[in-house]
Amino acid sequence: MHLDHTHHGPSALSADAHRPDGTRRALRIGLGGPVGSGKTATVAALCRALRDELSLAVVTNDIYTREDAEFLLREAVLPPERITAVETGACPHTAIRDDISANLEAVEDLEDAVGPLDLILVESGGDNLTATFSKGLVDAQIFVIDVAGGDDIPRKGGPGVTTADLLVVNKTDLAPYVGSDLARMAADAKAQRAELPVVFQSLRGETGAADVAAWVRERLAAWTA
Amino acid sequence: MTVTGVRAHARIVARADGRGGTALPVLDGDGPLALRRTRASGGEARVMVVGAMSGPLGGDRFSLEARVEEGARLHVGSAAATIALPGQAKGGARYDVRLDVADDAELHWLPEQLIAAGGSDLYVTTRAELGAGARLVLREEQVLGRFGEEPGRLTSRLTVRVAGRTVLDQELSCGPGAPGGWDGPAVLAGHRSVGQLVVIRPEFAEQPPAARMLGECAALVPLAGPAVLVSAVSPDALSLRRLLDQALTLLG
Amino acid sequence: MSRAALLVLADGRFPAGGHAHSGGAEAAVKAGRITSAASLEDFCRGRLHTAGLVAGALAAAAVLGVEPRELDAAADARTPSPALRAAARRLGRQLMRAARASWPSAELDALAGEFPKGVHQPVVLGVAARAAGLSPVDAAYCAAYESVSGPATATVRLLSLDPFDATGALARLAPELDRVADAAVEAAGRVVDEGVDALPAASGPLLEVGAEWHAAWPVRLFAS
């Protein structure tokens, strides 16, 4: 949806690829998924992996205002002015899908304040399996689930699992302890997602979020091409 | 025979006397709005409103004007609380206060409480017009009902303008017949004392004090202009006064 | 232009950011002042006759073409709490985005350009209603209804209140909403002749104080 063909005004309306001054805006990637699946930890790992090569910022959509933002600040993955928290009125899925206006304000304010930016990560507060990002807000989305949440989640599907541009199955190191069958999860995900990519990761392992970071770099290359 | 209410009007003009003090070339008032000059303090003239009778009653029309001219400093207080009472005349009572503070002049407007006694009906307006460099401390306290009594009807509008720009315009309406919800959780929530303290200083334009809470039911806030408002609700007049005094001390 | 545009503008799902604001209900719930459907109704009634009336008059005056800059300054003077002023401007900016997408208009574009940091939401609401071909009373209804629907929805989430009870409270407020919308339009008409001082200035001290309290919390569900 590129509204810049029909509207000429002082500020962008929604998903315009360009900022009001004509420059290309940052790529926006959303991270969603159930509570406790490791979204914030993945965001932190991505920041550490990418912050030296890219100019990036993070918007969090917490259930309780600033909890995830505070975590990122404590971990010092980015300078504080590059992290913004959006209040969601107890409904992260509303703020990332049905009424994205506060998030759009946040990403635009970040670009104005600390830009130019290459990448903005928009993290959703933990929500249910149907919570996906609006295409008016993000250019691509990552859905993060974990092995401890049950190895039947990929089979159950839902918009997040089925349609996200990248599915991350997190905490693979825990699989033996919670009795999750990674091969079955991979097969189910393949069945649900056809050619869409899936990453299995353990942030405790040596590679950390390297695969996700590589996917982000590819996306960014396509965005700026 | 129609009973008409009392009309009372008082005027104060404060003027720099050229020797670092403040003269009062006009000090007119009588009856319920009798004025008395009290001992000056430093360069500041002091005036006390000493109501010779209680009121305002229903149908009464009071008005009071104070003008503080350039370089003058005036402090106005009152000898006792003002009690709005029901009257025999038809209609509500009205009390209008007009304050004019010129550039480089200062007014402390610190009357005692206004008490809306049961059955009373009063509309009070306070309008302060300040020059760009003027200074003001203005306190308003309303007490709804005397002790253990249902309140009267009280509507109070406070407007403050600095250099022609309105920085505060607030109206509070409470008591029987007031718009619904006045005693509910959005407005007074059962509190019987409500007060506002307005402090205007030119230096607030550059360095406004930060907003802060004063207990759970009072806040000090910077307004959109060189002004600060302390807004408080409290169970009684004494605790309200304590909150507002504390706020004034905080502002230094 | 169609009257049904009012339904679009007043729809709680209109994507203008309202869902993240409780209209003071979160503070009142935590303070123990809203505990039930009855106290929610009383809260809403108080908010309707204070902030709701002022918002309705601002919106109606904007539909009548009163200079938005003056209305915005008048809204500032009627909003002592800096937290509420900031929230109103943020919501104004969010509404501006949705309104420009819904009813493209040179007036909305000009207003967005003049105030990049936002205008008080009811003023934007009025200019949006004007762009949608709606009348002053339509805008006043919309603003007045928003002043109570937001707290009601928020309280359902905050107290797990029965949604039927909350909706019932809103329905019972309908006759008062009618009166507030009429009073707002009447005041807006006077603003055209007498200037913005004719706007109502009704205030709820606990709404203002509660907003400052709420803004200082490190952890909260709603933005205001």
Side-chain angles (χ1 to χ4, degrees), chain C:
Chain C
M1 294 298 178
S2 149
R3 184 93 192 266
L6 175 59
L7 299 176
V8 179
L9 187 59
D11 190 334
R13 286 164 299 182
F14 193 67
H19 71 94
H21 292 256
S22 77
E26 187 171 27
V29 164
K30 188 159 180 182
R33 294 195 288 269
I34 298 178
T35 56
S36 62
S39 46
L40 167 65
E41 184 172 336
D42 217 15
F43 176 90
C44 289
R45 183 171 284 114
R47 190 162 194 259
L48 170 66
H49 288 289
T50 55
L53 172 65
V54 173
L58 285 166
V63 181
L64 289 171
V66 177
E67 179 57 46
R69 172 180 291 279
E70 287 183 36
L71 292 172
D72 190 56
D76 264 353
R78 286 157 179 75
T79 316
S81 155
L84 284 184
R85 292 198 296 273
R89 288 219 162 80
R90 219 159 44 227
L91 282 171
R93 220 165 72 147
Q94 290 173 244
L95 173 58
M96 175 64 81
R97 184 191 301 271
R100 288 172 71 198
S102 309
W103 299 284
S105 111
E107 274 184 5
L108 283 169
D109 289 350
L111 189 59
E114 190 182 352
F115 295 92
K117 290 187 173 165
V119 180
H120 278 260
Q121 193 266 4
V123 183
V124 181
L125 182 66
V127 179
R130 194 174 148 91
L134 293 168
S135 69
V137 72
D138 294 332
Y141 263 104
C142 194
Y145 181 66
E146 277 178 5
S147 77
V148 293
S149 62
T153 309
T155 304
V156 167
R157 295 185 198 167
L158 290 163
L159 285 180
S160 303
L161 202 67
D162 184 334
F164 297 110
D165 290 343
T167 303
L170 290 178
R172 276 189 298 280
L173 287 169
E176 286 175 73
L177 259 154
D178 290 340
R179 288 200 292 278
V180 165
D182 287 345
V185 170
E186 195 263 326
R190 278 187 286 119
V191 170
V192 173
D193 301 324
E194 301 166 27
V196 293
D197 283 353
L199 285 165
S203 66
L206 282 173
L207 285 176
E208 299 286 330
V209 171
E212 288 303 314
W213 184 47
H214 182 266
W217 299 354
V219 166
R220 55 179 185 261
L221 286 172
F222 290 87
S224 75

Side-chain angles (χ1 to χ4, degrees), chain B residues 12 45-49 64 66 74-78 107-111:
Chain B
I12 309 169
R46 287 186 164 243
V47 171
M48 192 75 91
V49 182
L64 199 157
L74 175 66
H75 181 290
V76 181
S78 66
L107 172 65
H108 286 232
W109 180 260
L110 299 165

Side-chain angles (χ1 to χ4, degrees), chain A:
Chain A
M1 187 168 70
H2 291 261
L3 293 170
D4 50 349
H5 301 302
T6 49
H7 293 278
H8 299 279
S11 69
L13 274 171
S14 186
D16 306 14
H18 294 89
R19 307 184 61 217
D21 63 7
T23 58
R24 178 175 288 275
R25 65 159 172 80
L27 176 70
R28 302 172 191 157
I29 293 183
L31 288 98
V35 177
S37 62
K39 292 179 296 300
T40 309
T42 302
V43 167
L46 278 176
C47 289
R48 287 193 198 97
L50 298 170
R51 65 191 172 192
D52 293 333
E53 56 191 281
L54 300 175
S55 173
L56 72 153
V58 174
V59 176
T60 62
N61 284 260
D62 273 326
I63 299 184
Y64 274 114
T65 324
R66 299 194 51 89
E67 215 148 275
D68 290 343
E70 297 291 345
F71 174 84
L72 296 172
L73 288 170
R74 263 200 315 279
E75 296 285 301
V77 294
L78 287 179
E81 66 273 15
R82 286 174 178 262
I83 302 171
T84 296
V86 168
E87 287 100 343
T88 62
C91 282
H93 62 263
T94 305
I96 63 164
R97 184 188 59 205
D98 309 322
D99 181 350
I100 57 175
S101 56
N103 269 295
L104 286 170
E105 298 282 310
V107 295
E108 287 167 12
D109 284 350
L110 276 169
E111 286 206 75
D112 287 344
V114 298
L117 293 168
D118 302 309
L119 173 68
I120 299 178
L121 301 174
V122 183
E123 184 195 340
S124 170
D127 209 307
N128 59 50
L129 292 173
T130 66
T132 52
F133 284 85
S134 163
K135 288 189 169 69
L137 175 60
V138 300
D139 305 298
Q141 51 192 309
I142 302 173
F143 201 72
V144 182
I145 60 173
D146 70 301
V147 299
D151 61 5
D152 55 348
I153 288 182
R155 182 181 53 77
K156 285 181 179 165
V161 166
T162 314
T163 65
D165 300 284
L166 178 68
L167 178 69
V168 174
V169 181
N170 200 19
K171 307 186 193 176
T172 50
D173 52 313
L174 295 183
Y177 306 104
V178 297
S180 284
D181 180 345
L182 293 179
R184 182 183 147 198
M185 289 181 91
D188 288 344
K190 175 81 188 162
Q192 291 281 0
R193 296 171 53 77
E195 296 311 310
L196 287 169
V198 182
V199 163
F200 284 76
Q201 78 173 13
S202 162
L203 294 174
R204 294 176 173 218
E206 275 186 20
T207 51
D211 290 347
V212 180
W215 179 85
V216 169
R217 283 190 199 94
E218 277 172 34
R219 280 286 171 163
L220 195 59
W223 175 252
T224 50

